[in-house]
Amino acid sequence: AQTVTQSQPEMSVQEAETVTLSCTYDTSESNYYLFWYKQPPSRQMILVIRQEAYKQQNATENRFSVNFQKAAKSFSLKISDSQLGDTAMYFCAFLSGTYKYIFGTGTRLKVLA
Amino acid sequence: NAGVTQTPKFRVLKTGQSMTLLCAQDMNHEYMYWYRQDPGMGLRLIHYSVGEGTTAKGEVPDGYNVSRLKKQNFLLGLESAAPSQTSVYFCASRPGSTGELFFGEGSRLTVL
């Protein structure tokens, strides 16, 4: 069975600094997607970044980038120039096949002024 | 743009009562999902649907039923609510061609 593990329940970072959130997963599939979702205090989940497993190049979206290590089954999220609005719960997610997403337990990130 | 809309946003029930959560999406998405979110446990899939008229069980289906009579709506029912069903419920949808999930704002349910 596929699993997603986020080993950091809580993290904090100073405003304008860089922080990396860790995610590891376990699967025997070769084709899959990986995602990072953000859940701010308002509660609604929004997509931060997506990575297709067949792409070797790491995905980047403005201040957000990933370090995708397929062999190590690792998918970390780097947030550069952290802003107060980045304070949120971050979920790593895995999608293989057509239907089911598997989510990690989340990392609560607090950006300090 | 409405996206995914959940109603109600908040509800308090007594043990044994029944209720239905409604999820509506206006993006013509094929797939729809119901998750529950509990502290320290992330999101757990209750039921999902891959198209109108179809439903399937997720990892925590017991105590819940669903229906997808129309493509745009996915209903989650609790026939006899229990305190263990106190949670925040999220509906999500996605098109068949991409992997991104679009979430509703969540519904907080408390069972006393």
Side-chain angles (χ1 to χ4, degrees):
Chain A
Q2 291 100 347
T3 59
V4 176
T5 302
Q6 293 180 251
S7 59
Q8 304 152 314
E10 294 187 358
M11 296 187 73
S12 62
V13 62
Q14 288 295 135
E15 197 175 6
E17 300 283 305
T18 295
V19 64
T20 299
L21 280 58
S22 300
C23 174
T24 58
Y25 59 95
D26 187 24
T27 184
S28 57
E29 303 286 337
S30 56
N31 294 320
Y32 49 87
Y33 293 88
L34 294 161
F35 306 83
W36 279 98
Y37 284 88
K38 172 184 176 181
Q39 186 180 37
S42 66
R43 208 167 66 190
Q44 186 156 21
M45 302 268 285
I46 54 176
L47 178 67
V48 175
I49 200 164
R50 169 175 54 200
Q51 175 80 44
E52 290 90 348
Y54 65 86
K55 291 186 177 179
Q56 293 186 342
Q57 186 174 6
N58 289 327
T60 300
E61 288 287 344
N62 300 315
R63 297 182 296 105
F64 298 89
S65 62
V66 298
N67 183 7
F68 174 49
Q69 302 289 330
K70 190 172 184 179
K73 297 180 182 175
S74 172
F75 182 61
S76 60
L77 174 70
K78 185 171 82 171
I79 306 174
S80 303
D81 186 24
S82 297
Q83 301 175 359
L84 296 177
D86 296 333
T87 292
M89 183 76 95
Y90 288 82
F91 291 96
C92 179
F94 170 95
L95 173 66
S96 174
T98 310
Y99 312 133
K100 294 185 184 180
Y101 270 71
I102 299 171
F103 285 85
T105 53
T107 296
R108 186 177 302 279
L109 176 67
K110 188 170 185 178
V111 180
L112 306 172
Chain B
N1 294 332
V4 179
T5 303
Q6 293 179 227
T7 53
K9 299 287 191 295
F10 301 92
R11 184 74 187 270
V12 178
L13 289 176
K14 294 181 180 178
T15 297
Q17 287 185 317
S18 63
M19 74 158 296
T20 300
L21 294 173
L22 170 64
C23 176
Q25 52 97 2
D26 61 1
M27 297 171 282
N28 202 36
H29 287 173
E30 291 295 328
Y31 304 117
M32 296 188 74
Y33 304 80
W34 275 109
Y35 290 92
R36 61 178 288 173
Q37 183 179 25
D38 302 293
M41 302 189 76
L43 288 162
R44 293 184 292 170
L45 181 63
I46 304 171
H47 286 279
Y48 64 98
S49 168
V50 301
E52 181 179 315
T54 73
T55 63
K57 293 180 180 179
E59 59 180 309
V60 288
D62 293 343
Y64 304 95
N65 56 75
V66 288
S67 64
R68 186 133 180 237
L69 299 179
K70 295 183 178 180
K71 187 177 183 179
Q72 63 268 33
N73 295 338
F74 195 30
L75 279 65
L76 177 71
L78 285 71
E79 290 187 347
S80 180
S84 61
Q85 294 177 304
T86 293
S87 187
V88 179
Y89 292 85
F90 284 94
C91 177
S93 71
R94 71 178 179 98
S97 58
T98 70
E100 179 182 354
L101 279 174
F102 293 80
F103 284 87
E105 295 180 340
S107 299
R108 181 176 294 278
L109 174 65
T110 302
V111 183
L112 302 175

